[in-house]
Every structure is written in C-alpha cells, then in structure tokens.
Amino acid sequence: MSAAAVLASAPSTLDVGSPVLNIAIFVVFVVVTLAIVLRASRSTRTAADYYAGGRSFTGPQNGFAIAGDYLSAASFLGIAGAIAVYGYDGFLYSIGFLVAWLVALLLVAELLRNTGRFTMADVLSFRLRQRPVRMAAALATLAVCFFYLIAQMSGAGGLVALLLGIEGQAGQYVVVAVVGVIMIAYVLIGGMKGTTYVQMVKAVLLIAGAVVMTVWVLARYGFSLTAVLQGAVDTSAAQGLADPEALLGPGLRYGSSALTLLDFGSLSLALVLGTAGLPHVLMRFYTVPSGKEARRSVVWAIWLIGIFYLLTLVLGYGAAALVGREDILSAPGGVNSAAPLLAFQLGGTVLLGLIAAVAFATILAVVAGLAITAATSFAHDVYASVLKNGTVSPDGELKVARRTVVVIGVVAILGGMAAIGQNVAFLVALAFAVAASANLPTILYSLFWRRFTTRGALWSMYGGLVSTIVLIVFSPVVSGRVDPVTGASTSMIKDTGVDFSWFPLENPGIVTIPLAFLLGWLGTVTSRPEADHDAKAAQMEVRAFTGAGSEKAVQH
C-alpha cells in the first residue's frame, strides 16, 4: 500500500489510542519508578549521597544515566517531529547534539571530575574568589536549567494532551502541573541516586522503543531507507507541499538566504559547544569514583546517544511517510506529536501507549535531573558557600536543597505552561546557547589558562548570560516569528500583532559565545591574580590531571 493510501485510511490524529490504556501505562511506570526511588532513598544519608549518588556508579552505569539525562523530549519528540516536517534541516539537530559530545569527552569530562566535588562552581571557584564566582556560576546554572525545564514541560503538555484527547490549553496546563509534582517527588525522595536509576531505566526503554519503531518502519518499506524517504516525499506531495523533494535536501527550514544560513550557523555553534557547559550533564561526572570512570561513562554515552540519533532519521521520515506532515501539525502537540502518531500508525493503541509511556518517562527523568542540579547549585553554591560562608552543616544544606526543589518545580510548571506548542528541540537549543555562552568559556579558561582571574570569570559568565537572555527576549523566538512552511505564528507570544523583536537570529550563539570568550580574556588581562593564585593554580593542575584530592576540591 502506498504512503498516500495508508494516510488516507488513518484515523484522525485528534482521536488516537485509548485514554484509559494510556493512563494505565503511565500509572504503572510512575509506580515502578517511584518504587525504585524509594529503594534508593534508603541509602541517601549524606550530602555526597544526595548530590552525587555516593560516587558509587561505574562508567557504563553512568553512561546509561548520561544518555538518559541527555536524550530528552527534544531528542525523542522534537527531533523526530523536526525531521518529519522539515526533513534534512530537522536532522541537523541530531548531528549537532551528537558531535557536541566530542567536545565534552576531549576537553571537559575527566578534568572536571578530578577538579570538582558536587557542582560546576566547585571548578570555577577553586583558584578564584569563592563568593562572587559561585554566585555567578549558580545564576548561570539556574538559567540553563530554567530554559531546559520549559522545553520538557512543554513537551509533556503536548504529548499527554494528544494521548488523552485534550484539545484546550486548560487541560494541557493540568498535565504540566502533574508532571511537575511527580518530578518534585522523585527528587525529594531519592536525590541523585534515585534520579540516576530512573534515568538508566528510561535510557534502556527509550533506545529499545526507538529500535522497535525503526525496524517496524523499515519492514513496511522492505527494509529500504530509500523507500522510506520516497514515501515521505509521496505523502508530502499528496498533502500539497509545493516542493516535496525539498524534504531530502537542505533549505526547507533554514532556506538559502544569508540571514537563515547565519541563523543555522548560530544554532550549530550553540549545539556543538553547549553540551560541555550543561550543568545537569556536568554534574553526572561527579557520580563516578574517578576521572577514568568519568571518561568511560562519556564513551558509553556517545555510543548510546549516537545509535539513538541515527534512529531518529528513520523515525522522522517514517512519520512523514506514514502519518503525514499536515496531520502532525494539526495534532494538539504539533511538531512534537510525530513519534507518538507514528507509533499509533504502526502498532495501534498498544504501541502508542507503550511509546507514549517511554516519552513520558523521558520527560520525567530529565526534569528530575534538571531539578536536582538547580537545587544543588542553589543550596551548595549560593546558600552554603555565599550566604553562610561555608559554615552551614550538611544537614542544613540538604534541607535547603529540598525546599529549593519545590520552588524550582513551581517555576518550571509556570514556564512550561507559557511555552506549550513550541518545538521542544528548538527550546532546548536556547538552553544550549546559554550554556555555551555563560559556562563553557569560563570552564575552559579555568582548566587550561593559569593566568585566568576572578574578573575574567565574572565578566565572561555575566556577559555571556545577560547577552544571551537579552538577545533571546528580543528575537523572533519571543515575538514576531512566522513558520516559513506553515505560515502560522510560532513565537511564545502568539498574538501576531505583538512584535518587539529587533535581533534577527533565532539563536544568539554566534554572537554571545565569542563575546563571552572575549570578555573572559579582557577581564583577565585588565586585572591582577589573587595573592595565592600561583599555588592554587598549580594545585588545580595536579588535581585535574591526576585526580589527587578531588574529594576535597572546595577551597575556603
């Protein structure tokens, strides 16, 4: 049967699956993972247990957890949808997310693990003035986590609305709130150890689900990728796409004009450099006992993530062929509905429920990892090190961390409600831009430039953070953006009459990343190092390359 005939016989995308079955599978997953978290909580007693899982995970275990943390709703929902709607241009997200791991492996993973203790700020402040650097690092961490959390919450709202047949925004708001509450429960009960186990389970389920769907799609087309691609072209032509062959080449999303090519270059730069500055990924390096295991965990993560991103090519084009771009775009979750709708087209109600549960698990695991990262950064860096100047007890620090989780959960819920309908892959790209601008330059300078000073760190972090947020606010992301394919308003502010954007690029990385590097250099050359700078720099260098004394990496 041709793709067009399959599409013609498919039910409406607004009425797919069984809401009762979908809810039942969701509940089973939540119950099982909460049981895992409760079991893990029995051994969560100290700050090292809560923040770093007791440093008890092996490289392969942490590799699965990193993959579970990294393969977010953007990977499963957003990229599959972007490929289904934009073809080749959508697959560029997969390439960028994967290549980024080489930067993390070669420049950051082992050195960061050896130098730090719990958070990114432990490294950045080691040989600099503690309080101002920790505060800047904590603010940058919270900003990255906020953008990332918005993306995950938005994906949750669209996904569950599709599965339960909810068409109004009010229902999606309720879904986002429920996800936030479950996330808070995971982190409060299990800490990093419980969250890590959930991420490991989720990584296995997600990759297994993607493999099953990929094999199923290829089987529909005689195990020929060429036939899948042709099916996507045929279905798009049947639905009236002016140039369906454009799905197979560059330009459908990013065009050929100088501005769109510049925007694509900015996006690519943010994706490739952003991973090495993501605080919730960097924090995973502290859950292993040594720098060697940190390096092993990244190698495992690269293999797992690489396999998954290759599968997204088949999933995306398979959705375009078997479901169709128009049905995907008309679903409650929009672009993010491609993978669930493909599952329904392939295996009906049961496969849809299973794949949706995997996607739901993906969102829950990632938001839990983000929440514990943000809470740790505030409690450990802001409260304990800045406000209390290192005098707070570990128990007091943990109490603050748990309270912070609740606040972060509420903020994430409100932000997710505001971003419903956005492509989650695109929203995550903004988080990467913040991470690459505010965090990465300072991390690299701290690890590899002995002359680096406190002023350089502060100028780099605050300059990168503020410039990125300002340019995002005044970019088409927030107001005035119209999708070049669908013609619909896709800004966060849906009113087409509101347009205060003056920065033309959707991702500011091409401006803010070089600016942050420049500010770090300029701040350093215009200031003098601290009195004990040479001694601390030598100590940090030894620790970074040998791991000696990494458990006591915090200087006071």
PDB file of all heavy atoms in Angstrom, residues 160-198:
ATOM      1  N   VAL A 160       0.798  14.446  26.381  1.00  0.00           N
ATOM      2  CA  VAL A 160      -0.309  13.843  27.119  1.00  0.00           C
ATOM      3  C   VAL A 160      -1.649  14.379  26.624  1.00  0.00           C
ATOM      4  O   VAL A 160      -2.649  13.668  26.632  1.00  0.00           O
ATOM      5  CB  VAL A 160      -0.127  14.071  28.629  1.00  0.00           C
ATOM      6  CG1 VAL A 160      -1.243  13.399  29.416  1.00  0.00           C
ATOM      7  CG2 VAL A 160       1.218  13.520  29.087  1.00  0.00           C
ATOM      8  N   ALA A 161      -1.670  15.630  26.174  1.00  0.00           N
ATOM      9  CA  ALA A 161      -2.907  16.163  25.593  1.00  0.00           C
ATOM     10  C   ALA A 161      -3.320  15.346  24.372  1.00  0.00           C
ATOM     11  O   ALA A 161      -4.505  15.055  24.160  1.00  0.00           O
ATOM     12  CB  ALA A 161      -2.709  17.625  25.209  1.00  0.00           C
ATOM     13  N   LEU A 162      -2.339  14.970  23.559  1.00  0.00           N
ATOM     14  CA  LEU A 162      -2.624  14.136  22.388  1.00  0.00           C
ATOM     15  C   LEU A 162      -3.190  12.783  22.806  1.00  0.00           C
ATOM     16  O   LEU A 162      -4.178  12.303  22.263  1.00  0.00           O
ATOM     17  CB  LEU A 162      -1.338  13.939  21.578  1.00  0.00           C
ATOM     18  CG  LEU A 162      -1.397  12.874  20.470  1.00  0.00           C
ATOM     19  CD1 LEU A 162      -2.268  13.371  19.325  1.00  0.00           C
ATOM     20  CD2 LEU A 162      -0.001  12.537  19.984  1.00  0.00           C
ATOM     21  N   LEU A 163      -2.569  12.161  23.812  1.00  0.00           N
ATOM     22  CA  LEU A 163      -2.957  10.809  24.200  1.00  0.00           C
ATOM     23  C   LEU A 163      -4.290  10.757  24.923  1.00  0.00           C
ATOM     24  O   LEU A 163      -4.976   9.739  24.896  1.00  0.00           O
ATOM     25  CB  LEU A 163      -1.870  10.206  25.083  1.00  0.00           C
ATOM     26  CG  LEU A 163      -0.496  10.130  24.423  1.00  0.00           C
ATOM     27  CD1 LEU A 163       0.543   9.671  25.408  1.00  0.00           C
ATOM     28  CD2 LEU A 163      -0.539   9.212  23.234  1.00  0.00           C
ATOM     29  N   LEU A 164      -4.658  11.840  25.579  1.00  0.00           N
ATOM     30  CA  LEU A 164      -5.919  11.855  26.322  1.00  0.00           C
ATOM     31  C   LEU A 164      -7.018  12.588  25.570  1.00  0.00           C
ATOM     32  O   LEU A 164      -8.111  12.785  26.099  1.00  0.00           O
ATOM     33  CB  LEU A 164      -5.701  12.500  27.701  1.00  0.00           C
ATOM     34  CG  LEU A 164      -4.639  11.842  28.585  1.00  0.00           C
ATOM     35  CD1 LEU A 164      -4.606  12.503  29.956  1.00  0.00           C
ATOM     36  CD2 LEU A 164      -4.874  10.341  28.720  1.00  0.00           C
ATOM     37  N   GLY A 165      -6.716  13.029  24.346  1.00  0.00           N
ATOM     38  CA  GLY A 165      -7.720  13.721  23.559  1.00  0.00           C
ATOM     39  C   GLY A 165      -8.048  15.105  24.065  1.00  0.00           C
ATOM     40  O   GLY A 165      -9.158  15.618  23.850  1.00  0.00           O
ATOM     41  N   ILE A 166      -7.108  15.752  24.736  1.00  0.00           N
ATOM     42  CA  ILE A 166      -7.334  17.098  25.278  1.00  0.00           C
ATOM     43  C   ILE A 166      -6.967  18.122  24.215  1.00  0.00           C
ATOM     44  O   ILE A 166      -5.845  18.138  23.727  1.00  0.00           O
ATOM     45  CB  ILE A 166      -6.471  17.327  26.539  1.00  0.00           C
ATOM     46  CG1 ILE A 166      -6.857  16.323  27.622  1.00  0.00           C
ATOM     47  CG2 ILE A 166      -6.634  18.752  27.048  1.00  0.00           C
ATOM     48  CD1 ILE A 166      -5.933  16.339  28.823  1.00  0.00           C
ATOM     49  N   GLU A 167      -7.907  18.979  23.861  1.00  0.00           N
ATOM     50  CA  GLU A 167      -7.647  19.962  22.812  1.00  0.00           C
ATOM     51  C   GLU A 167      -7.450  21.369  23.358  1.00  0.00           C
ATOM     52  O   GLU A 167      -6.851  22.208  22.719  1.00  0.00           O
ATOM     53  CB  GLU A 167      -8.803  19.960  21.798  1.00  0.00           C
ATOM     54  CG  GLU A 167      -8.941  18.627  21.063  1.00  0.00           C
ATOM     55  CD  GLU A 167      -9.972  18.695  19.954  1.00  0.00           C
ATOM     56  OE1 GLU A 167     -10.076  19.756  19.306  1.00  0.00           O
ATOM     57  OE2 GLU A 167     -10.682  17.704  19.746  1.00  0.00           O
ATOM     58  N   GLY A 168      -7.960  21.668  24.538  1.00  0.00           N
ATOM     59  CA  GLY A 168      -7.844  23.012  25.095  1.00  0.00           C
ATOM     60  C   GLY A 168      -6.566  23.194  25.890  1.00  0.00           C
ATOM     61  O   GLY A 168      -5.951  22.227  26.360  1.00  0.00           O
ATOM     62  N   GLN A 169      -6.153  24.433  26.051  1.00  0.00           N
ATOM     63  CA  GLN A 169      -4.929  24.714  26.803  1.00  0.00           C
ATOM     64  C   GLN A 169      -5.091  24.408  28.280  1.00  0.00           C
ATOM     65  O   GLN A 169      -4.135  24.027  28.944  1.00  0.00           O
ATOM     66  CB  GLN A 169      -4.530  26.180  26.613  1.00  0.00           C
ATOM     67  CG  GLN A 169      -3.769  26.450  25.328  1.00  0.00           C
ATOM     68  CD  GLN A 169      -3.061  27.794  25.367  1.00  0.00           C
ATOM     69  OE1 GLN A 169      -3.418  28.673  26.132  1.00  0.00           O
ATOM     70  NE2 GLN A 169      -2.062  27.950  24.526  1.00  0.00           N
ATOM     71  N   ALA A 170      -6.300  24.560  28.809  1.00  0.00           N
ATOM     72  CA  ALA A 170      -6.512  24.328  30.241  1.00  0.00           C
ATOM     73  C   ALA A 170      -6.130  22.900  30.617  1.00  0.00           C
ATOM     74  O   ALA A 170      -5.492  22.653  31.647  1.00  0.00           O
ATOM     75  CB  ALA A 170      -7.971  24.610  30.609  1.00  0.00           C
ATOM     76  N   GLY A 171      -6.514  21.935  29.779  1.00  0.00           N
ATOM     77  CA  GLY A 171      -6.160  20.546  30.045  1.00  0.00           C
ATOM     78  C   GLY A 171      -4.665  20.318  30.004  1.00  0.00           C
ATOM     79  O   GLY A 171      -4.116  19.560  30.815  1.00  0.00           O
ATOM     80  N   GLN A 172      -3.991  20.978  29.056  1.00  0.00           N
ATOM     81  CA  GLN A 172      -2.533  20.845  28.971  1.00  0.00           C
ATOM     82  C   GLN A 172      -1.863  21.474  30.187  1.00  0.00           C
ATOM     83  O   GLN A 172      -0.823  20.985  30.646  1.00  0.00           O
ATOM     84  CB  GLN A 172      -2.036  21.491  27.684  1.00  0.00           C
ATOM     85  CG  GLN A 172      -2.546  20.796  26.426  1.00  0.00           C
ATOM     86  CD  GLN A 172      -1.899  21.347  25.166  1.00  0.00           C
ATOM     87  OE1 GLN A 172      -0.678  21.469  25.093  1.00  0.00           O
ATOM     88  NE2 GLN A 172      -2.701  21.675  24.170  1.00  0.00           N
ATOM     89  N   TYR A 173      -2.432  22.546  30.701  1.00  0.00           N
ATOM     90  CA  TYR A 173      -1.898  23.154  31.919  1.00  0.00           C
ATOM     91  C   TYR A 173      -1.937  22.163  33.080  1.00  0.00           C
ATOM     92  O   TYR A 173      -0.987  22.063  33.879  1.00  0.00           O
ATOM     93  CB  TYR A 173      -2.698  24.405  32.286  1.00  0.00           C
ATOM     94  CG  TYR A 173      -2.485  25.588  31.376  1.00  0.00           C
ATOM     95  CD1 TYR A 173      -3.360  26.669  31.390  1.00  0.00           C
ATOM     96  CD2 TYR A 173      -1.402  25.627  30.502  1.00  0.00           C
ATOM     97  CE1 TYR A 173      -3.176  27.754  30.545  1.00  0.00           C
ATOM     98  CE2 TYR A 173      -1.215  26.708  29.660  1.00  0.00           C
ATOM     99  CZ  TYR A 173      -2.097  27.771  29.685  1.00  0.00           C
ATOM    100  OH  TYR A 173      -1.912  28.845  28.852  1.00  0.00           O
ATOM    101  N   VAL A 174      -3.043  21.427  33.183  1.00  0.00           N
ATOM    102  CA  VAL A 174      -3.162  20.434  34.254  1.00  0.00           C
ATOM    103  C   VAL A 174      -2.093  19.354  34.100  1.00  0.00           C
ATOM    104  O   VAL A 174      -1.462  18.934  35.076  1.00  0.00           O
ATOM    105  CB  VAL A 174      -4.570  19.799  34.238  1.00  0.00           C
ATOM    106  CG1 VAL A 174      -4.641  18.643  35.241  1.00  0.00           C
ATOM    107  CG2 VAL A 174      -5.628  20.840  34.554  1.00  0.00           C
ATOM    108  N   VAL A 175      -1.866  18.925  32.866  1.00  0.00           N
ATOM    109  CA  VAL A 175      -0.852  17.901  32.604  1.00  0.00           C
ATOM    110  C   VAL A 175       0.524  18.386  33.039  1.00  0.00           C
ATOM    111  O   VAL A 175       1.286  17.667  33.698  1.00  0.00           O
ATOM    112  CB  VAL A 175      -0.842  17.530  31.108  1.00  0.00           C
ATOM    113  CG1 VAL A 175       0.367  16.648  30.788  1.00  0.00           C
ATOM    114  CG2 VAL A 175      -2.129  16.821  30.729  1.00  0.00           C
ATOM    115  N   VAL A 176       0.867  19.608  32.671  1.00  0.00           N
ATOM    116  CA  VAL A 176       2.165  20.174  33.047  1.00  0.00           C
ATOM    117  C   VAL A 176       2.308  20.219  34.566  1.00  0.00           C
ATOM    118  O   VAL A 176       3.370  19.894  35.123  1.00  0.00           O
ATOM    119  CB  VAL A 176       2.323  21.585  32.444  1.00  0.00           C
ATOM    120  CG1 VAL A 176       3.535  22.288  33.033  1.00  0.00           C
ATOM    121  CG2 VAL A 176       2.455  21.502  30.934  1.00  0.00           C
ATOM    122  N   ALA A 177       1.238  20.589  35.256  1.00  0.00           N
ATOM    123  CA  ALA A 177       1.278  20.649  36.718  1.00  0.00           C
ATOM    124  C   ALA A 177       1.505  19.269  37.322  1.00  0.00           C
ATOM    125  O   ALA A 177       2.290  19.112  38.273  1.00  0.00           O
ATOM    126  CB  ALA A 177      -0.024  21.254  37.247  1.00  0.00           C
ATOM    127  N   VAL A 178       0.855  18.252  36.784  1.00  0.00           N
ATOM    128  CA  VAL A 178       1.026  16.885  37.294  1.00  0.00           C
ATOM    129  C   VAL A 178       2.468  16.411  37.101  1.00  0.00           C
ATOM    130  O   VAL A 178       3.070  15.814  37.999  1.00  0.00           O
ATOM    131  CB  VAL A 178       0.041  15.925  36.601  1.00  0.00           C
ATOM    132  CG1 VAL A 178       0.364  14.476  36.954  1.00  0.00           C
ATOM    133  CG2 VAL A 178      -1.395  16.256  37.008  1.00  0.00           C
ATOM    134  N   VAL A 179       3.035  16.664  35.917  1.00  0.00           N
ATOM    135  CA  VAL A 179       4.431  16.297  35.668  1.00  0.00           C
ATOM    136  C   VAL A 179       5.354  16.971  36.671  1.00  0.00           C
ATOM    137  O   VAL A 179       6.283  16.360  37.216  1.00  0.00           O
ATOM    138  CB  VAL A 179       4.843  16.669  34.226  1.00  0.00           C
ATOM    139  CG1 VAL A 179       6.341  16.468  34.026  1.00  0.00           C
ATOM    140  CG2 VAL A 179       4.075  15.821  33.221  1.00  0.00           C
ATOM    141  N   GLY A 180       5.094  18.249  36.952  1.00  0.00           N
ATOM    142  CA  GLY A 180       5.914  18.977  37.908  1.00  0.00           C
ATOM    143  C   GLY A 180       5.849  18.379  39.300  1.00  0.00           C
ATOM    144  O   GLY A 180       6.872  18.259  39.996  1.00  0.00           O
ATOM    145  N   VAL A 181       4.669  17.974  39.715  1.00  0.00           N
ATOM    146  CA  VAL A 181       4.504  17.384  41.054  1.00  0.00           C
ATOM    147  C   VAL A 181       5.249  16.057  41.153  1.00  0.00           C
ATOM    148  O   VAL A 181       5.935  15.780  42.158  1.00  0.00           O
ATOM    149  CB  VAL A 181       3.004  17.193  41.366  1.00  0.00           C
ATOM    150  CG1 VAL A 181       2.828  16.373  42.649  1.00  0.00           C
ATOM    151  CG2 VAL A 181       2.312  18.550  41.513  1.00  0.00           C
ATOM    152  N   ILE A 182       5.145  15.214  40.126  1.00  0.00           N
ATOM    153  CA  ILE A 182       5.852  13.923  40.140  1.00  0.00           C
ATOM    154  C   ILE A 182       7.362  14.150  40.157  1.00  0.00           C
ATOM    155  O   ILE A 182       8.104  13.458  40.869  1.00  0.00           O
ATOM    156  CB  ILE A 182       5.434  13.062  38.931  1.00  0.00           C
ATOM    157  CG1 ILE A 182       3.943  12.742  38.988  1.00  0.00           C
ATOM    158  CG2 ILE A 182       6.244  11.769  38.899  1.00  0.00           C
ATOM    159  CD1 ILE A 182       3.430  12.024  37.756  1.00  0.00           C
ATOM    160  N   MET A 183       7.825  15.128  39.383  1.00  0.00           N
ATOM    161  CA  MET A 183       9.254  15.458  39.365  1.00  0.00           C
ATOM    162  C   MET A 183       9.732  15.837  40.767  1.00  0.00           C
ATOM    163  O   MET A 183      10.788  15.371  41.232  1.00  0.00           O
ATOM    164  CB  MET A 183       9.498  16.622  38.413  1.00  0.00           C
ATOM    165  CG  MET A 183      10.874  17.250  38.523  1.00  0.00           C
ATOM    166  SD  MET A 183      10.964  18.861  37.693  1.00  0.00           S
ATOM    167  CE  MET A 183      10.103  19.898  38.872  1.00  0.00           C
ATOM    168  N   ILE A 184       8.973  16.683  41.439  1.00  0.00           N
ATOM    169  CA  ILE A 184       9.341  17.106  42.788  1.00  0.00           C
ATOM    170  C   ILE A 184       9.444  15.897  43.716  1.00  0.00           C
ATOM    171  O   ILE A 184      10.373  15.781  44.529  1.00  0.00           O
ATOM    172  CB  ILE A 184       8.318  18.131  43.319  1.00  0.00           C
ATOM    173  CG1 ILE A 184       8.415  19.434  42.516  1.00  0.00           C
ATOM    174  CG2 ILE A 184       8.557  18.410  44.799  1.00  0.00           C
ATOM    175  CD1 ILE A 184       7.293  20.411  42.801  1.00  0.00           C
ATOM    176  N   ALA A 185       8.498  14.965  43.573  1.00  0.00           N
ATOM    177  CA  ALA A 185       8.508  13.777  44.425  1.00  0.00           C
ATOM    178  C   ALA A 185       9.764  12.941  44.184  1.00  0.00           C
ATOM    179  O   ALA A 185      10.410  12.477  45.134  1.00  0.00           O
ATOM    180  CB  ALA A 185       7.255  12.938  44.163  1.00  0.00           C
ATOM    181  N   TYR A 186      10.131  12.726  42.913  1.00  0.00           N
ATOM    182  CA  TYR A 186      11.343  11.959  42.600  1.00  0.00           C
ATOM    183  C   TYR A 186      12.562  12.529  43.317  1.00  0.00           C
ATOM    184  O   TYR A 186      13.333  11.815  43.950  1.00  0.00           O
ATOM    185  CB  TYR A 186      11.607  11.988  41.091  1.00  0.00           C
ATOM    186  CG  TYR A 186      10.821  11.012  40.255  1.00  0.00           C
ATOM    187  CD1 TYR A 186      10.749  11.160  38.873  1.00  0.00           C
ATOM    188  CD2 TYR A 186      10.159   9.939  40.822  1.00  0.00           C
ATOM    189  CE1 TYR A 186      10.028  10.267  38.086  1.00  0.00           C
ATOM    190  CE2 TYR A 186       9.436   9.044  40.043  1.00  0.00           C
ATOM    191  CZ  TYR A 186       9.370   9.210  38.689  1.00  0.00           C
ATOM    192  OH  TYR A 186       8.672   8.338  37.913  1.00  0.00           O
ATOM    193  N   VAL A 187      12.746  13.826  43.180  1.00  0.00           N
ATOM    194  CA  VAL A 187      13.972  14.447  43.676  1.00  0.00           C
ATOM    195  C   VAL A 187      13.975  14.531  45.197  1.00  0.00           C
ATOM    196  O   VAL A 187      14.993  14.303  45.849  1.00  0.00           O
ATOM    197  CB  VAL A 187      14.164  15.846  43.050  1.00  0.00           C
ATOM    198  CG1 VAL A 187      15.428  16.488  43.564  1.00  0.00           C
ATOM    199  CG2 VAL A 187      14.205  15.738  41.534  1.00  0.00           C
ATOM    200  N   LEU A 188      12.823  14.866  45.788  1.00  0.00           N
ATOM    201  CA  LEU A 188      12.758  14.965  47.241  1.00  0.00           C
ATOM    202  C   LEU A 188      13.041  13.616  47.901  1.00  0.00           C
ATOM    203  O   LEU A 188      13.713  13.544  48.927  1.00  0.00           O
ATOM    204  CB  LEU A 188      11.382  15.469  47.674  1.00  0.00           C
ATOM    205  CG  LEU A 188      11.058  16.940  47.418  1.00  0.00           C
ATOM    206  CD1 LEU A 188       9.666  17.279  47.927  1.00  0.00           C
ATOM    207  CD2 LEU A 188      12.093  17.850  48.079  1.00  0.00           C
ATOM    208  N   ILE A 189      12.538  12.547  47.288  1.00  0.00           N
ATOM    209  CA  ILE A 189      12.655  11.225  47.910  1.00  0.00           C
ATOM    210  C   ILE A 189      14.011  10.590  47.648  1.00  0.00           C
ATOM    211  O   ILE A 189      14.691  10.116  48.570  1.00  0.00           O
ATOM    212  CB  ILE A 189      11.542  10.291  47.396  1.00  0.00           C
ATOM    213  CG1 ILE A 189      10.164  10.819  47.822  1.00  0.00           C
ATOM    214  CG2 ILE A 189      11.740   8.871  47.935  1.00  0.00           C
ATOM    215  CD1 ILE A 189       9.014  10.085  47.183  1.00  0.00           C
ATOM    216  N   GLY A 190      14.430  10.574  46.394  1.00  0.00           N
ATOM    217  CA  GLY A 190      15.591   9.767  46.027  1.00  0.00           C
ATOM    218  C   GLY A 190      16.898  10.489  45.839  1.00  0.00           C
ATOM    219  O   GLY A 190      17.957   9.853  45.808  1.00  0.00           O
ATOM    220  N   GLY A 191      16.874  11.822  45.664  1.00  0.00           N
ATOM    221  CA  GLY A 191      18.116  12.532  45.414  1.00  0.00           C
ATOM    222  C   GLY A 191      18.769  12.084  44.112  1.00  0.00           C
ATOM    223  O   GLY A 191      18.107  11.563  43.206  1.00  0.00           O
ATOM    224  N   MET A 192      20.068  12.251  44.005  1.00  0.00           N
ATOM    225  CA  MET A 192      20.778  11.912  42.778  1.00  0.00           C
ATOM    226  C   MET A 192      20.782  10.410  42.522  1.00  0.00           C
ATOM    227  O   MET A 192      20.683   9.959  41.383  1.00  0.00           O
ATOM    228  CB  MET A 192      22.217  12.440  42.834  1.00  0.00           C
ATOM    229  CG  MET A 192      23.068  12.042  41.637  1.00  0.00           C
ATOM    230  SD  MET A 192      22.397  12.632  40.056  1.00  0.00           S
ATOM    231  CE  MET A 192      23.051  14.308  40.046  1.00  0.00           C
ATOM    232  N   LYS A 193      20.864   9.607  43.576  1.00  0.00           N
ATOM    233  CA  LYS A 193      20.920   8.159  43.374  1.00  0.00           C
ATOM    234  C   LYS A 193      19.613   7.656  42.772  1.00  0.00           C
ATOM    235  O   LYS A 193      19.607   6.905  41.788  1.00  0.00           O
ATOM    236  CB  LYS A 193      21.201   7.455  44.699  1.00  0.00           C
ATOM    237  CG  LYS A 193      21.423   5.961  44.556  1.00  0.00           C
ATOM    238  CD  LYS A 193      21.979   5.353  45.840  1.00  0.00           C
ATOM    239  CE  LYS A 193      23.398   5.783  46.087  1.00  0.00           C
ATOM    240  NZ  LYS A 193      24.003   5.074  47.242  1.00  0.00           N
ATOM    241  N   GLY A 194      18.493   8.066  43.327  1.00  0.00           N
ATOM    242  CA  GLY A 194      17.204   7.653  42.784  1.00  0.00           C
ATOM    243  C   GLY A 194      16.988   8.171  41.375  1.00  0.00           C
ATOM    244  O   GLY A 194      16.505   7.455  40.496  1.00  0.00           O
ATOM    245  N   THR A 195      17.369   9.431  41.153  1.00  0.00           N
ATOM    246  CA  THR A 195      17.233  10.022  39.825  1.00  0.00           C
ATOM    247  C   THR A 195      18.085   9.275  38.804  1.00  0.00           C
ATOM    248  O   THR A 195      17.663   9.053  37.666  1.00  0.00           O
ATOM    249  CB  THR A 195      17.643  11.502  39.877  1.00  0.00           C
ATOM    250  OG1 THR A 195      16.803  12.191  40.801  1.00  0.00           O
ATOM    251  CG2 THR A 195      17.513  12.146  38.509  1.00  0.00           C
ATOM    252  N   THR A 196      19.284   8.856  39.212  1.00  0.00           N
ATOM    253  CA  THR A 196      20.175   8.141  38.299  1.00  0.00           C
ATOM    254  C   THR A 196      19.577   6.805  37.878  1.00  0.00           C
ATOM    255  O   THR A 196      19.622   6.439  36.695  1.00  0.00           O
ATOM    256  CB  THR A 196      21.542   7.911  38.962  1.00  0.00           C
ATOM    257  OG1 THR A 196      22.136   9.186  39.251  1.00  0.00           O
ATOM    258  CG2 THR A 196      22.473   7.126  38.052  1.00  0.00           C
ATOM    259  N   TYR A 197      19.017   6.075  38.825  1.00  0.00           N
ATOM    260  CA  TYR A 197      18.393   4.795  38.470  1.00  0.00           C
ATOM    261  C   TYR A 197      17.225   4.988  37.517  1.00  0.00           C
ATOM    262  O   TYR A 197      17.040   4.216  36.566  1.00  0.00           O
ATOM    263  CB  TYR A 197      17.945   4.060  39.737  1.00  0.00           C
ATOM    264  CG  TYR A 197      19.063   3.392  40.491  1.00  0.00           C
ATOM    265  CD1 TYR A 197      19.287   3.683  41.835  1.00  0.00           C
ATOM    266  CD2 TYR A 197      19.891   2.468  39.874  1.00  0.00           C
ATOM    267  CE1 TYR A 197      20.320   3.080  42.538  1.00  0.00           C
ATOM    268  CE2 TYR A 197      20.929   1.856  40.568  1.00  0.00           C
ATOM    269  CZ  TYR A 197      21.148   2.167  41.901  1.00  0.00           C
ATOM    270  OH  TYR A 197      22.175   1.572  42.591  1.00  0.00           O
ATOM    271  N   VAL A 198      16.433   6.013  37.748  1.00  0.00           N
ATOM    272  CA  VAL A 198      15.313   6.300  36.845  1.00  0.00           C
ATOM    273  C   VAL A 198      15.827   6.623  35.449  1.00  0.00           C
ATOM    274  O   VAL A 198      15.267   6.188  34.435  1.00  0.00           O
ATOM    275  CB  VAL A 198      14.457   7.462  37.396  1.00  0.00           C
ATOM    276  CG1 VAL A 198      13.420   7.915  36.356  1.00  0.00           C
ATOM    277  CG2 VAL A 198      13.748   7.041  38.676  1.00  0.00           C
TER     278      VAL A 198
END
